[in-house]
Amino acid sequence: MAARTLVPLLLPGLLAAAVSTGCSGNNTSSAAPGKPQGPPALTKEQAQQVLTSFASGMNQAGLRFSGRTLRTVETDPQLTMDVAALKLRRAVRQRPPKVVFSHTTFYIPRLTGHPRWFAADAVSGKGKQALRHALLFTQSSENAPWLLAADPYPSELALAHVALDPQGYATPVAPDVEDLAVAPAKLPKAHAALLTDGPRASGASVLADGAKTSETYKALKAGEKTLATRGVTLSSRFSPAEYKVYGLRTKDRGAVVWYVLKQNEAYSAAQRGKLAVSGDLVGLAPSTTARTRLDTTVLVQYLATIPPKGRATISGMYRKAVTAQGS
């Protein structure tokens, strides 16, 4: 996206790199595909207009390093994350590349009332710079603007598995639906427990092993040990962020789901000079802020696929530190 950074994530130690590798409202339904439940949130032509307008706004924001412009095309959690990314870009004096979307497919659910939402699978950039997006736009009320709420980067064509009815529209999945391996509303808590306490944590077994689950936990633990050899102690905890969980029914009667976790990190060192505001934290606090303690808040968006039976897999992610305070 226009406000995101392409510079390496270099938090103290290896933690940012480790994580990087490593509830919809009452208008949702869990009805079977092919049985229309209310009108579509908007037409595909209108969805294309929303995407085009969004790209234009992002390019203006990137050109001006303008958080105010971002607010005209985004809402939280995306807004908070991209404002932080924009601060980093301003600090390193690196304007983002122009956003142009291609290979776009829209997934528009049938909904009644507001808020309304829809998803889009799209690609920005070309060649080695190409990025796939799982964009999720929301509209809070009838006359409100459509704003980007989430945009994890999928590592596979996860949205291609979304089921469409004969008219080409998708079916939303309620957060508390009971015909999946795990209810979408319960997945954030399970994922947070796994990343904090490991794959054996209570409830964590609903998630399959992978780069963004068990491997991320291992990388975090390895990073903590590396920091310890440098005289730095780290405590890190994940928790479900207070944002809605959105889901769409897939062709196998499963669901693809968007949700957000919050990571709180606390770095401490007995000696000054061991900590620094660097990498992903640049722009969030003065470089001299961290003396013997550094506390950060990170938001992590996820895209997950939940089968009817079995274990959920994570197919997309967007991570960004959003606050940093030192002493």
Side-chain angles (χ1 to χ4, degrees), residues 33-35 44 105-109 159-171 248-251:
K35 296 182 180 180
K44 293 181 181 179
T105 303
F106 295 106
Y107 298 92
I108 302 172
L159 296 188
H161 301 294
V162 171
L164 301 177
D165 66 20
Q167 290 73 43
Y169 294 105
T171 301
L248 291 172
R249 186 68 69 177
T250 52
K251 298 172 184 176

Side-chain angles (χ1 to χ4, degrees), residues 223-308:
E224 290 178 10
K225 291 182 180 180
T226 298
L227 289 175
T229 64
R230 302 174 184 174
V232 176
T233 300
L234 168 67
S235 64
S236 176
R237 296 200 64 82
F238 291 81
S239 60
E242 295 182 356
Y243 298 110
K244 293 179 180 179
V245 176
Y246 296 88
L248 291 172
R249 186 68 69 177
T250 52
K251 298 172 184 176
D252 64 352
R253 297 294 300 149
V256 59
V257 177
W258 289 256
Y259 63 92
V260 187
L261 299 185
K262 180 171 67 173
Q263 180 186 13
N264 293 106
E265 298 176 316
Y267 299 84
S268 61
Q271 293 181 315
R272 292 189 177 187
K274 294 290 185 178
L275 300 177
V277 175
S278 59
D280 198 35
L281 301 179
V282 171
L284 299 179
S287 59
T288 57
T289 293
R291 292 187 287 274
T292 58
R293 185 175 179 86
L294 182 63
D295 297 306
T296 72
T297 301
V298 177
L299 292 179
V300 193
Q301 299 178 18
Y302 288 101
L303 184 71
T305 299
I306 308 176

Side-chain angles (χ1 to χ4, degrees), residues 135-253:
L135 305 115
L136 190 143
F137 291 90
T138 64
Q139 184 190 44
S140 61
S141 62
E142 184 176 358
N143 296 318
W146 283 95
L147 303 172
L148 183 73
D151 181 19
Y153 296 139
S155 55
E156 58 183 61
L157 294 173
L159 296 188
H161 301 294
V162 171
L164 301 177
D165 66 20
Q167 290 73 43
Y169 294 105
T171 301
V173 174
D176 59 353
V177 71
E178 297 180 352
D179 62 350
L180 297 174
V182 57
K186 295 181 179 179
L187 193 56
K189 183 178 180 180
H191 199 171
L194 188 156
L195 294 178
T196 301
D197 298 316
R200 296 184 179 180
S202 176
S205 61
V206 302
L207 283 152
D209 293 339
K212 299 174 180 65
T213 54
S214 56
E215 294 304 313
T216 288
Y217 174 76
K218 293 177 183 178
L220 287 168
K221 295 295 109 178
E224 290 178 10
K225 291 182 180 180
T226 298
L227 289 175
T229 64
R230 302 174 184 174
V232 176
T233 300
L234 168 67
S235 64
S236 176
R237 296 200 64 82
F238 291 81
S239 60
E242 295 182 356
Y243 298 110
K244 293 179 180 179
V245 176
Y246 296 88
L248 291 172
R249 186 68 69 177
T250 52
K251 298 172 184 176
D252 64 352
R253 297 294 300 149

Side-chain angles (χ1 to χ4, degrees), residues 8-44:
L9 300 181
L10 299 172
L11 280 171
L14 306 175
L15 275 300
V19 176
S20 293
T21 59
C23 0
S24 191
N26 294 329
N27 58 356
T28 58
S29 166
S30 56
K35 296 182 180 180
Q37 299 290 310
L42 73 177
T43 67
K44 293 181 181 179

